[in-house]
Amino acid sequence: MRRIPRRSLSLVLLLALGVPAFASTPAVAPAANPRGFTAQDLVMLDRVSAPQFSPDGGRILYALRQTNWEADRGVGSLWVTDPSGGHGTRLTPADLPASSGTWSPDGQFVYFLSAKSGSMQVWRVPASGGDATQVTDYPLDVGSFRLNPAGDALALSFEVFADCATLSCTADRQKASAEDKRTGVQYDRIFVRHWDTWKDGTRSQVFLGAIGADGKAAGEPRLLTKGIDGDVPGKPFGDQSDYVFSPDGKSLVFSVRIAGKSEPWSTNFDLFEVPVDGSAAPKNLTDANDATDTNPVFSADGKTLFWRAMKRPGFEADRFGLMALDRATGVTREIAADWDRSFDTLVLGDDGRTMYTATLDTGTHPVFEVNLASGAVRKVVQGGNVGGFDVDGDRIVFTRDTIAHPADLYLAAIRARIAERRLTNYNAERLSGIRMGDYEQFSFKGWNDATVYGYVIKPWNHEPGRKAPVAFLIHGGPQGSFHNQWHYRWNAQTYAGMGFAVVMIDFHGSTGYGQAFTDSISEDWGGKPLVDLQKGWAAALAAYPDLDGERACALGGSYGGYMVNWIAGNWNEPWDCFVNHAGVFDLRSMAYSTEELWFTEWENGGVPWENAAAIEKHNPVNFVQNWRVPMLVIHGQKDYRVLVEQGLATFGALQRRGIESELMYFPDENHWILRPHNSVQWHESVNAWLQKHAGAEASR
């Protein structure tokens, strides 16, 4: 087994880049009486994201999310700094929450979304500072927007009824529905609900709104996605990256899954192009591909359209390849087809010859540069988890976080061998009295002797030779990763902060280790991943003697919650307790009730009535007779991915078998726990459960 110390690995990476070791991180004086990290600390942290260079490259716009504890929500603001560093200047005032900031083409203004007026509308503020003004005043909320290249029009998304000719028609109908004393709703096809929302018959569609000389949008916007029976942006997590103007501003390309009755079992998103003057209907550019096509990006001259595409219909975790369409000839080619990683966010280099993407790679999330002609790929920013980023010439601005630190803003050179610089140091004061647990990546021989990776995080107050209880975290997805990142729901430091060590394994099915590794979990949920978890646990105990294998609890959410239920019936010997958040109890019921049916159909090898044996082979409900370990079950009412009935059934089985168990139910949360107060309550309950069964309170 191979251990990779955090500091040794960082030193190697920095020296390889010609960067002085640790020079970019300002020193913070250690506190006289340090303490561990808590859930209350977690929810109050400032969150930096979405950096963007100004058109002239002289300034950097970024977003900041801060927690309003009293209001129980996060509040966004926009800031501008220059590449010399520092937090810079806040553009949006405290009484004007802001999100989705973007530069005007001339760099004179920053446009953004705010609900200050009572509905979500587009605003703008001078980039040099000054009063913000409202740009749009439509009768519906603006869901997303993009400025056209000339800066005199907006592409905007609204939730509308297809048969309404105006935005007011939709608004009036929604008002009438809210006032109707009858509450019954009839459906003749699914989706009837998606993620955390019941369908009301509206679709997200894209319109074009003109901006007048006074900076205001006027008149009824023109529908650009006319006749499109699908949501643009896509739901539930689509945004303005789903559509883009051509460089000349004459057309818009958007990604959409044409709905029909097959929508819940289809992953067939296509790219359509439509002239913004309404002179023609949208034209399908990718009809030949029945899998996902998304994230369109034009070359600067408009001659080439790039996008990300999957190849296998019905598989949401397929590898995203990078595609290029020659608009003159209609010829499509794939770039870097042999690179065994999945393309994520696309940023085109200023030279027009390179594309940049950040994606998972062996337990980290770096940025790669791709030569568009040759397909050659090289890593240009590494270490930790790179989130949002932007490129200007040879410079790249990005956010980075790690297991031990939340995100801050950094600036680096792509080719020149100069030191990377940290531009912001948010949370320094808030974290100055806190000691984080050190972490290391390790590897071992997992299923079929394949190399598998994981992380071990030590308690904040670790003392060599003193054994620590263990929180064994199991990631969801199932095609996901607990990589070197700062997580706001499953944060390893919240466990380290109460004296627990943490072990996290990227089992077969995890992302960032090649597509074959990711594929291997499908139709084998309880097979190879369980072997990896068993071998990873044994390897961690052997390599880290301060882990107390006699005091350990396993925790997971979503697929991780499924695995907790599976372990409860198939490998419960090492564990003192379990925590199951939004986990699957009965795969057969899940296959009929989850809203995105393509997921269970791919993972189980087909529709449930034809694949009963495959479903039952790894179905936790079939092994309840073996359950014995105390379990905390957590579920949200608005979880339509894994329905609350799965959690209730888990709790019912535990109670009926007489196993110590508790249920935590959130009537206002979805698959995730998002509200600050609920997040703290979640962590406090989980931590108390762990302490009771494996920590200081556990009787031995």
Side-chain angles (χ1 to χ4, degrees):
M1 186 191 70
R2 185 161 58 95
R3 296 170 62 183
I4 308 169
R6 170 180 63 89
R7 293 188 177 179
S8 297
L9 178 62
S10 298
L11 181 60
V12 170
L13 297 177
L14 290 169
L15 291 176
L17 289 171
V19 178
F22 316 120
S24 63
T25 303
V28 176
N33 297 297
R35 62 174 178 85
F37 187 72
T38 70
Q40 186 70 46
D41 297 321
L42 180 68
V43 301
M44 295 306 296
L45 291 175
D46 295 339
R47 307 186 193 184
V48 181
S49 65
Q52 302 169 48
F53 282 108
S54 60
D56 64 3
R59 294 163 293 175
I60 298 168
L61 172 70
Y62 67 95
L64 180 69
R65 179 196 180 277
Q66 297 172 297
T67 298
N68 184 327
W69 180 250
E70 290 71 25
D72 197 23
R73 62 187 178 91
V75 180
S77 58
L78 299 175
W79 293 65
V80 169
T81 187
D82 64 66
S84 66
H87 292 177
T89 302
R90 179 172 180 158
L91 282 180
T92 53
D95 64 347
L96 188 63
S99 63
S100 303
T102 187
W103 293 98
S104 63
D106 60 8
Q108 298 303 303
F109 293 93
V110 169
Y111 286 73
F112 59 95
L113 289 176
S114 179
K116 169 72 173 177
S117 64
S119 67
M120 190 65 73
Q121 300 295 326
V122 178
W123 292 62
R124 76 176 188 181
V125 62
S128 58
D131 294 334
T133 57
Q134 188 171 337
V135 176
T136 67
D137 189 18
Y138 295 115
L140 297 175
D141 286 336
V142 177
S144 64
F145 76 97
R146 269 192 187 272
L147 274 167
N148 72 341
D152 59 7
L154 292 161
L156 310 122
S157 65
F158 299 98
E159 301 276 344
V160 297
F161 292 107
D163 60 341
C164 274
T166 65
L167 300 184
S168 295
C169 167
T170 293
D172 292 343
R173 188 179 299 180
Q174 290 175 328
K175 180 180 179 182
S177 177
E179 294 172 350
D180 195 335
K181 297 188 185 306
R182 299 170 298 176
T183 59
V185 181
Q186 289 180 271
Y187 299 91
D188 62 2
R189 69 183 189 184
I190 51 178
F191 294 116
V192 298
R193 55 187 178 181
H194 200 182
W195 186 248
D196 60 4
T197 305
W198 282 86
K199 293 291 188 177
D200 64 357
T202 59
R203 284 280 184 201
S204 181
Q205 299 281 275
V206 177
F207 294 72
L208 185 76
I211 300 175
D214 60 354
K216 306 284 188 179
E220 185 74 22
R222 178 189 302 123
L223 177 61
L224 295 180
T225 50
K226 186 176 182 179
I228 294 295
D229 183 17
D231 289 300
V232 188
K235 292 184 178 179
F237 304 121
D239 57 24
Q240 65 271 19
S241 67
D242 284 355
Y243 56 94
V244 64
F245 283 101
S246 59
D248 62 10
K250 293 182 178 180
S251 66
L252 187 86
V253 172
F254 58 90
S255 173
V256 64
R257 174 175 52 201
I258 299 299
K261 292 194 174 184
S262 67
E263 184 179 20
W265 56 89
S266 169
T267 60
N268 185 18
F269 285 79
D270 280 313
L271 297 184
F272 286 76
E273 183 170 11
V274 61
V276 299
D277 63 6
S279 59
K283 176 185 176 182
N284 193 336
L285 303 178
T286 59
D287 191 42
N289 182 28
D290 291 333
T292 297
D293 297 284
T294 191
N295 197 188
V297 175
F298 275 99
S299 61
D301 59 12
K303 294 180 179 179
T304 307
L305 179 67
F306 302 97
W307 72 95
R308 300 187 300 136
M310 293 181 175
K311 291 184 172 66
R312 289 176 282 181
F315 186 25
E316 68 173 5
D318 196 13
R319 173 184 177 269
F320 270 116
L322 176 60
M323 311 301 295
L325 170 68
D326 186 314
R327 300 182 75 207
T329 66
V331 174
T332 297
R333 67 184 178 96
E334 183 175 1
I335 299 168
D338 295 332
W339 186 48
D340 197 13
R341 292 295 183 266
S342 188
F343 283 85
D344 203 334
T345 303
L346 302 180
V347 175
L348 187 65
D350 291 341
D351 59 8
R353 298 191 296 270
T354 51
M355 185 72 75
Y356 297 88
T357 188
T359 192
L360 281 165
D361 178 53
T362 319
T364 63
H365 196 262
V367 177
F368 293 88
E369 178 188 76
V370 183
N371 185 296
L372 294 174
S374 68
V377 180
R378 73 183 186 98
K379 196 178 296 184
V380 295
V381 175
Q382 50 196 328
N385 178 69
V386 175
F389 71 97
D390 195 19
V391 173
D392 177 67
D394 191 46
R395 300 177 304 163
I396 180 169
V397 61
F398 58 94
T399 63
R400 177 194 282 133
D401 56 273
T402 69
I403 289 173
H405 203 281
D408 266 304
L409 205 61
Y410 295 80
L411 185 72
I414 296 173
R415 296 172 186 83
R417 296 175 63 83
I418 60 175
E420 170 188 298
R421 287 193 294 112
R422 181 175 182 169
L423 301 182
T424 65
N425 194 14
Y426 281 100
N427 302 300
E429 182 177 353
R430 186 171 281 118
L431 297 176
S432 63
I434 294 171
R435 181 186 298 161
M436 299 292 181
D438 289 334
Y439 63 93
E440 294 182 356
Q441 189 180 38
F442 69 101
S443 65
F444 60 94
K445 296 300 182 182
W447 176 84
N448 203 30
D449 285 336
T451 300
V452 177
Y453 289 84
Y455 280 97
V456 167
I457 298 91
K458 299 176 182 179
W460 76 275
N461 55 354
H462 171 67
E463 295 178 8
R466 188 181 74 178
K467 286 187 175 291
V470 184
F472 188 74
L473 304 187
I474 307 170
H475 72 68
Q479 295 89 355
S481 172
F482 271 153
H483 57 284
N484 187 4
Q485 66 169 328
W486 184 263
H487 205 292
Y488 277 96
R489 293 186 310 279
W490 290 89
N491 189 288
Q493 295 296 342
T494 62
Y495 304 98
M498 64 173 184
F500 276 67
V502 179
V503 175
M504 308 184 300
I505 305 298
D506 267 358
F507 45 80
H508 273 78
S510 300
T511 48
Y513 304 92
Q515 192 60 43
F517 193 88
T518 299
D519 291 350
S520 64
I521 196 171
S522 298
E523 301 184 55
D524 195 29
W525 276 26
K528 293 183 285 291
L530 179 62
V531 174
D532 287 345
L533 293 171
Q534 291 170 328
K535 290 189 172 184
W537 177 237
L541 291 176
Y544 300 92
D546 290 347
L547 299 179
D548 191 344
E550 300 301 315
R551 293 187 297 158
C553 294
L555 308 82
S558 195
Y559 171 83
Y562 158 87
M563 182 52 75
V564 165
N565 280 341
W566 184 247
I567 288 173
N570 292 276
W571 180 46
N572 58 40
E573 297 82 3
W575 311 112
D576 294 288
C577 74
F578 294 130
V579 177
N580 171 356
H581 173 89
V584 180
F585 173 74
D586 182 358
L587 279 174
R588 186 178 184 217
S589 173
M590 171 78 173
Y592 286 101
S593 61
T594 189
E595 88 283 44
E596 293 185 347
L597 295 176
W598 68 77
F599 171 71
T600 53
E601 290 178 10
W602 182 275
E603 293 303 306
N604 294 323
V607 293
W609 54 89
E610 295 177 357
N611 292 273
I615 291 174
E616 299 306 331
K617 180 180 179 181
H618 294 129
N619 196 348
V621 72
N622 295 327
F623 298 88
V624 172
Q625 68 273 13
N626 299 332
W627 288 15
R628 66 166 190 84
V629 175
M631 185 185 299
L632 171 63
V633 181
I634 309 172
H635 227 106
Q637 178 64 44
K638 293 184 176 182
D639 186 351
Y640 305 146
R641 184 62 41 90
V642 181
L643 297 187
V644 69
E645 285 75 17
Q646 296 282 338
L648 293 173
T650 302
F651 184 57
L654 291 160
Q655 290 281 299
R656 187 65 182 87
R657 283 193 40 76
I659 299 170
E660 183 183 357
S661 52
E662 293 180 8
L663 172 69
M664 170 165 277
Y665 166 74
F666 289 94
D668 54 352
E669 296 283 8
N670 57 32
H671 199 53
W672 303 330
I673 306 302
L674 300 176
R675 292 175 53 196
H677 284 260
N678 284 346
S679 178
V680 171
Q681 183 185 17
W682 186 99
H683 281 90
E684 289 176 346
S685 298
V686 170
N687 294 350
W689 188 255
L690 266 62
Q691 290 288 11
K692 178 180 180 180
H693 293 282
E697 301 174 20
S699 58
R700 295 293 167 194

